[in-house]
Amino acid sequence: MSHWPLLSLVTFLPLVGAGFIMTSRGDAEIVARNARNIALSTSVIVFLLSIVLWVDFDPSTAAFQFVEKARWIKIGGFEINYHMGIDGISLFFVLLSTLLTVLCVVASWVSIHTQVKEYMISFLILETLMVGLFCALDLIVFYVFFEGVLIPMFLIIGIWGHSNRVYAAFKFFLYTFLGSVLMLLAIIAVYLQTGSTDVELALNHAFPFALQKWLFLAFMASFAVKVPMWPVHTWLPDAHVEAPTAGSVILAGVLLKMGGYGFLRFSLPMFPLASHYFTPLIFTLSAVAVIYTSLVALAQTNMKKLIAYSSVAHMGFVTMGLFAVTSEAVQGAMIQMLSHGLVSGALFLCLGVLYDRMHTYDIVRYGGLVERMPAYAFVFMAFTLASIGLPGTSGFVGEFLILLGTFRVSTLECFLAATAMFLGAAYMLYLYRRVVFGTITRDDLRNILDLSPREKAVFVPLLVLVVWMGIYPSSFLGPIRASVDHLVQQVGAAQAGQRASAE
Amino acid sequence: MPVATAPDFLPALPEIALAIAAMVLLLIGVFRGETSTRLVSWLAVLVLIGILVLAARLGIDRRIGFYGMFVTDAFALFMKALVLIGSAVSIMMAMRFNEDQGIARFEFPVLILLATTGMMVMVSANDLITLYLGLELQSLALYVVASFDRDSVRSSEAGLKYFVLGALSSGMLLYGASMIYGFAGTTSFAAIAQVVGGAGPPSPGLIIGIVFVTVGIAFKVSAVPFHMWVPDVYEGAPTPVTAFFAVAPKMAAIALFMRFLIEPFGAMLAQWQQIIVFLSVASMVLGSVAAIAQTSIKRLMAYSSIGHIGYALIGLAAATPAGIRGVLVYMAIYLFMNVGTFAVILCMRQKGKMLEGINDLAGLSRTQPGLALALAIFMFAMAGVPPAAGFFSKLYIFLAAIDAHLNGLAISGVVTSAIGAFYYLRVVKVMYFDEPAGAFDRPITVELKAVLLVTAVVTMFFFLLPDPVVGSAEAAAASLFVK
């Protein structure tokens, strides 16, 4: 155990970088170059520090580690502590955030050329907020980070997005804002029940069943929008299509995980009875999400929208796995979230590569790319297969574990989800065929360039991780397992206790 | 009648000193002529700061003066501090503007001082008569400053409108006060509290009296449905006057609201709570919906202030120490957000001409990034997005509401805040997403720069050190419940 406040360091170091960028002045070119360099070095340092977290992490315990606690607000019985700590559930989300930020900075190196300074500042602030929210162990601290994310994301979509960006930015902000303010009320209610906003205390508090139902719904209002679950997913395709590439990567890679993380960290352990009560609802919504959005994806003509809908489908898998509450399913949901973070991030980067060259996401504008871009075709193929869930890639491990775990709870749900795996293969391969295979028919594609070394550098780590997670998932499941098992036991015990008292 | 002895005047010492200072400044102005405006203005700011120090030296102990008609306590001190800060900042912001508009007259700071005296009396009122005196002293000065740009039709119209509706509301308030006097047999808050706290159901006459007084005060705090004057007056009055209206008189009126309902009529909570709940919901809904269609930033701020009063009233509806604390924190943060926003509006000047359209802010992030950042901070704060200060003000309010089982009120509060976020975001959108329309004049005056810097820093970094404000609000709220 290190004595450094490592979590705070990882969380707030990006702000220091942002401060440096803010002070740089002078010629626009020089400022832009400085901003890129500072953002890259800051995010790399933060990523390396977060690797230390993984190395020093003790996988044998479900307790929170690297805990930091300090008084923040102490007036009038309403005490809020700055309480940070991570366990197996949050560890990899922190790593995912720090890794994707580095890749986003690199991916935006040339494609962003207006207001570079502000762009990099936004991303660094975003990184602080993302890491902070996965580490926060106080409900109010969590909420501050959770909501704060909206501000930089709103600006990223609105300033550097595409033609319809204003609409998308507003829709994104207002949808998620409305969901989260309801959660704020629930957090206050939790405080009034437990006398504290501390997560550890709240996790071990038994709330009365009637209250649990309301609190669960209020938390769900927030997390369901973030995940996003059907039918509150409609902000996502718009936000994805209009956001700049790196914005989409963070949206799909990390922001959607905030919803899944919220369910796992708060809803399930704090409200086990309500979770059980609402499981049929969640299963239904998940099944609809998985099948419906897969079909919608099949009909898309815009590549980015297609991937966006596939995200909704994949996250439907996740919510299903989470609420099956078996050890396998929840572990699978964790892996699926990490895998989706990497794979969908990579897919958006793939689309960004095309957009940088052709400035369109229209599928019909492409075709036959394999002739001119063999390296690109390989990378895109690899991530397409990972998205489908081919054995040997990370997607397979997650989906298999979820199906295995869910089968024990509901065969019907498992069956419905499995159909969607088939649909997933259909829309992804169909996309791939139309974009990459065939012959080049359009003149402007004849001179298209293959991946540059910088772009390859972005894809290599993602590819390595996807394959690593697919072939040897134990290195990831190891730290996750203790925390997930503890959670599943806790929820199971609470539900069994209720059943016993009912009989 | 016994002769008043010195300690009896002590609680009112700041008000007395302020009134005398206003006279002295008036004399200075008269003798030195129009050229003395800047001097008188700065002196007025100094006087206000001095009065703040004096009031603080007086302490937070509960002192009663003027035979029970006047009271000072922690609550009074907290609200007076807000009023004084608001007034001082308004005078600072007005100096340059008035000079540019050719309306720089030394009467302006003097009128503000007199209005401030009235507000301080309102905050310290412990009797229906004192209440009315303070209110009228404040209002009369305000009517004049609203039409201070006397050659402008718009400004005169604003002043007249304000006067007619204000007089109407004063009439209602006075009528209610006479009802209360008739049925309680006294005008003293302490004595009324004894009558109300006695056995038996409250008399209908008292209820009617409360309703009328509440209506009168609702006019002053601009709660829906008594808000009609607000957008027109805000738009018509000179901008620094609007800034002043948006903060100082609101502070005083809401303080009066709290003291009037909690101290003498605390026992009749069941009767007045529903009125406040209605005012609160109506204000929040109208404030968030009606602002959406506005194109003038001053009208936008008018609706925004209506909405904010709705949130503050949630705390009053809770009628618990936590609720009052919430209101106090809310108003303190509101002061900073609002003053800051108006400071930005005062910077909206192109080639010497003041602009008021929201679209005039287009592309401000490109032309004046610092100014745009400041306004963005204020807008996110007003929308209640953490970590900006506005989030904490809402947090304490909702905390009190749920604690008092006003769940429906809390839910309508958060829903309207999500709706209201739209128009605050629209301002950010215009500044950050749209192409520049043309730069504003530079340089920004030193006073405005200072105000902007302080308010932006406070609004953004309130979360680092909320304890002093929340702590004093806590003490202030507790003092209101001491029997």
Side-chain angles (χ1 to χ4, degrees), chain A residues 72-76 78 115 143 147-148 151 154 158-159 165-166 170 173-174 177-178 181 185 188 191-192, chain B residues 366 380 383 385-386 391-392 396 398-399 402-403 411 414 417-418 422 425-426 429 432-433 463 466-467 474:
Chain A
W72 179 26
I73 299 176
K74 47 180 168 291
I75 292 295
F78 186 52
Q115 295 180 279
Y143 185 81
E147 283 276 84
I151 300 177
F154 174 74
I159 301 178
R165 59 186 196 273
V166 174
F170 271 93
F173 192 102
L174 294 175
F177 191 65
L178 182 61
V181 288
L185 294 186
I188 292 173
Y191 159 73
L192 291 172
Chain B
R366 240 70 68 80
F380 281 118
V385 186
F391 163 69
F392 291 92
Y396 283 102
F398 293 136
L399 181 70
I402 293 188
D403 200 15
I411 290 173
V414 294
S417 83
F422 172 77
L425 285 184
R426 194 160 63 105
K429 171 238 160 194
Y432 279 86
F433 303 173
F463 72 93
D467 276 355
E474 172 102 7

Side-chain angles (χ1 to χ4, degrees), chain B residues 75 79-80 83 115 118-124 131 134-135 138-139 142 162 169 173 213-223 229 245-261 276 309 312-313 316 327 331:
Chain B
F75 175 79
M79 291 312 284
K80 280 178 191 173
V83 167
M119 293 174 208
M120 290 174 70
V121 174
M122 284 162 72
V123 171
S124 275
L131 181 163
L135 196 70
Q138 173 220 230
S139 301
L142 292 185
Y162 191 27
S169 76
L173 189 137
V213 175
T214 303
V215 168
I217 304 178
F219 258 107
K220 304 290 178 194
V221 298
S222 67
W229 58 275
F245 279 4
V247 288
K250 286 260 159 76
M251 303 292 159
I254 198 107
L256 184 64
F257 222 164
M258 288 189 274
R259 196 187 284 283
F260 173 74
L261 288 177
I276 302 297
I309 285 299
L313 288 181
L316 179 56
V327 181
M331 295 317 283

Side-chain angles (χ1 to χ4, degrees), chain A residues 211-359:
Chain A
L211 185 66
Q212 278 197 19
K213 281 197 252 182
W214 287 108
L215 294 180
F216 181 87
L217 286 177
F219 272 85
M220 184 178 154
S222 174
F223 298 143
V225 172
K226 270 267 156 54
V227 165
M229 292 172 78
W230 185 87
V232 286
H233 66 282
T234 59
W235 62 271
L236 183 76
D238 288 311
H240 268 314
V241 171
E242 300 304 331
T245 300
S248 294
V249 172
I250 293 288
L251 258 178
V254 184
L255 260 66
L256 306 194
K257 310 303 170 294
M258 288 160 53
Y261 172 78
F263 276 128
L264 196 53
R265 167 69 77 229
F266 303 107
S267 299
L268 275 168
M270 272 161 65
F271 318 121
L273 308 181
S275 301
H276 185 66
Y277 179 82
F278 285 114
T279 297
L281 172 72
I282 303 271
F283 272 4
T284 312
L285 294 182
S286 303
V288 174
V290 172
I291 295 172
Y292 167 77
T293 51
S294 297
L295 291 173
V296 174
L298 207 48
Q300 292 308 310
T301 56
N302 180 315
M303 306 192 277
K304 224 175 172 185
K305 228 171 188 159
L306 191 150
I307 304 293
Y309 278 108
S310 85
S311 289
V312 182
H314 281 120
M315 291 308 285
F317 258 95
V318 171
T319 48
M320 188 180 88
L322 290 178
F323 280 83
V325 208
T326 57
S327 184
E328 295 86 6
V330 176
Q331 286 180 30
M334 285 290 301
I335 293 289
Q336 171 81 344
M337 280 198 270
L338 298 175
S339 154
H340 178 256
L342 299 172
V343 172
S344 70
L347 285 171
F348 280 118
L349 288 168
C350 285
L351 303 189
V353 166
L354 293 184
Y355 187 84
D356 285 346
R357 289 162 172 71
M358 306 300 299
H359 298 284

Side-chain angles (χ1 to χ4, degrees), chain B residues 119-269:
Chain B
M119 293 174 208
M120 290 174 70
V121 174
M122 284 162 72
V123 171
S124 275
N126 199 30
D127 189 290
L128 291 171
I129 303 291
T130 326
L131 181 163
Y132 187 71
L133 268 179
L135 196 70
E136 282 305 283
L137 177 54
Q138 173 220 230
S139 301
L140 285 173
L142 292 185
Y143 302 144
V144 182
V145 286
S147 51
F148 200 73
D149 191 359
R150 59 192 176 202
D151 297 326
S152 144
V153 179
R154 243 174 33 143
S155 176
S156 317
E157 184 195 321
L160 191 65
K161 220 174 232 170
Y162 191 27
F163 171 67
V164 171
L165 286 169
L168 181 73
S169 76
S170 294
M172 293 208 204
L173 189 137
L174 207 51
Y175 183 68
S178 68
M179 291 290 283
I180 293 172
Y181 175 63
F183 283 82
T186 171
T187 56
S188 154
F189 283 2
I192 294 174
Q194 281 182 345
V195 173
V196 171
S203 83
L206 277 182
I207 297 177
I208 295 173
I210 292 183
V211 170
F212 273 95
V213 175
T214 303
V215 168
I217 304 178
F219 258 107
K220 304 290 178 194
V221 298
S222 67
V224 177
F226 310 106
H227 65 282
M228 285 77 112
W229 58 275
V230 181
D232 294 339
V233 172
Y234 272 42
E235 195 185 17
T239 311
V241 175
T242 314
F244 178 60
F245 279 4
V247 288
K250 286 260 159 76
M251 303 292 159
I254 198 107
L256 184 64
F257 222 164
M258 288 189 274
R259 196 187 284 283
F260 173 74
L261 288 177
I262 301 284
E263 279 196 347
F265 291 107
M268 282 172 70
L269 173 66

Side-chain angles (χ1 to χ4, degrees), chain A residues 335-336 338-340 342-343 382 385-386 389-401 461-477:
Chain A
I335 293 289
Q336 171 81 344
L338 298 175
S339 154
H340 178 256
L342 299 172
V343 172
L385 294 176
L390 190 80
T393 63
S394 57
F396 172 74
V397 180
E399 291 186 358
F400 178 73
L401 283 173
L462 289 170
L463 203 55
V464 169
L465 280 170
V466 166
V467 175
W468 181 3
M469 210 183 275
I471 292 177
Y472 193 68
S474 298
S475 13
F476 299 91
L477 284 171

